[in-house]
Amino acid sequence: MDPVHANYPFLESAREAVREADLGLADIIRAGETGGTRHPAVERGVQRVERALLDGTVDVPEGQRHPGVQAELLSYPVARVLVSLLDMPGVVEKYATAEAQTAFERFTADFEALDDDARAPENGKVPLRYVLHEFDLSGKVDTAGWGDTAGRGDTAGRGETAGPDDRDEGFAMEVTAYLRLASGFDGERWRLVRRELAEGKVALSADELNELLREAVRQRVETGLPTTVPDEIADGLTDEVAELEDTFSEVDVTRDIDVLAPEQFPPCASALVERAQAGESLSPHAEFALVSFLASANADEEELLALCGVDGETEARALRYRAERVADESGAQYAPPSCATMEAYGECPVADEESEVEDPRCDTISHPLAYYEEALADAD
Ligand code: SF4
């Protein structure tokens, strides 16, 4: 198995690798039943779903050992089965979004690291051309801005040719492919009437192309979910499903908070706001905690950007995506992490022995939103 399959388990070649490994899901699950401990792929599959729904990512947590290429790859079909067995609103959408966001973070770094002309994966990394081919976009996207302008001409209709240093220029996607990927996006800038069009193609920046590729991943992950799970497999995963349901019931916060009052934020949220505004690059779980808390606390887009200390357009776009995706279509939001999860991540200043922060209200609640709700009530 290739590390690229572990990093991008939704690829066709990853699916093929699973088939070639000839390891059926039922065998993997049964291995845990007979051996007393779960197969690493099942363990990681549970974590994958938990991380997706709590933190908006499926990455292995920082500081934790990678389970190995095979277990990581097999954890993906396990996670898909678990998602199908969970009876919770919005679970498929949130899971697919988290898989897509994780892939997005990986492939944007890979595109920067690999040679612009690369076509095949290297050391677990994927080049742009490979990803375009994977999603049947090779012939539908002109990559004039990515170092191969020779012979392509002004494909983006900009009257210029761009070199490798102009990665923000020169991409163009066929309208039909663009509509397939962008039609569900919020925001005026994605509407076709607002786009620059030339010869049936929509001009795109590199960032925009990456956002559309993230959507291609999301659509692929979502396709086929929830899947029908044979009884043999469902029965073998009863404990895992119960464990996940327990975890999520703990954070089932359905409060309706309609006031944004940063002075009433709990210490954890205040600390994250302070760090973000000081320009610190927050870890994915810290950023997720902050964005989901602010969305739950009724911050609008302008307030969100200000509280997160974001002013650049690229960062603002990434943050808007995060914010849009912490709420599903029914309006149900990802709850921010509970106090226990914040403490486990080292993001609770009250629990941090090296911090001098104390707050008596924190002794009475188990969730940052409960703190905020009480603080708002006390402040009338
Ligand atoms: S106890 Fe909870 S609300 Fe208080 S700072 Fe820690 S995580 Fe935040």
Side-chain angles (χ1 to χ4, degrees), residues 266-269 338-339 342-343 347-351 362 365-368 371:
C268 49
S338 65
C339 294
M342 292 291 277
E343 183 178 344
E347 300 293 352
C348 170
V350 171
C362 285
I365 49 87
S366 62
H367 199 284
Y371 178 112

Side-chain angles (χ1 to χ4, degrees), residues 19-35:
R19 264 196 296 270
E20 281 173 10
D22 202 21
L23 280 165
L25 269 189
D27 296 333
I28 293 170
I29 294 160
R30 214 175 297 125
E33 284 173 350
T34 51

Side-chain angles (χ1 to χ4, degrees), residues 4-6 8-19 73 130:
V4 78
H5 298 143
Y8 301 97
F10 49 81
L11 295 175
E12 283 299 334
S13 58
R15 203 182 296 184
E16 189 56 34
V18 172
R19 264 196 296 270
L73 169 58
Y130 184 85

Side-chain angles (χ1 to χ4, degrees), residues 64-79:
Q64 205 173 94
R65 236 175 114 186
H66 193 279
V69 170
Q70 189 187 66
E72 180 69 4
L73 169 58
L74 294 174
S75 72
Y76 176 70
V78 171

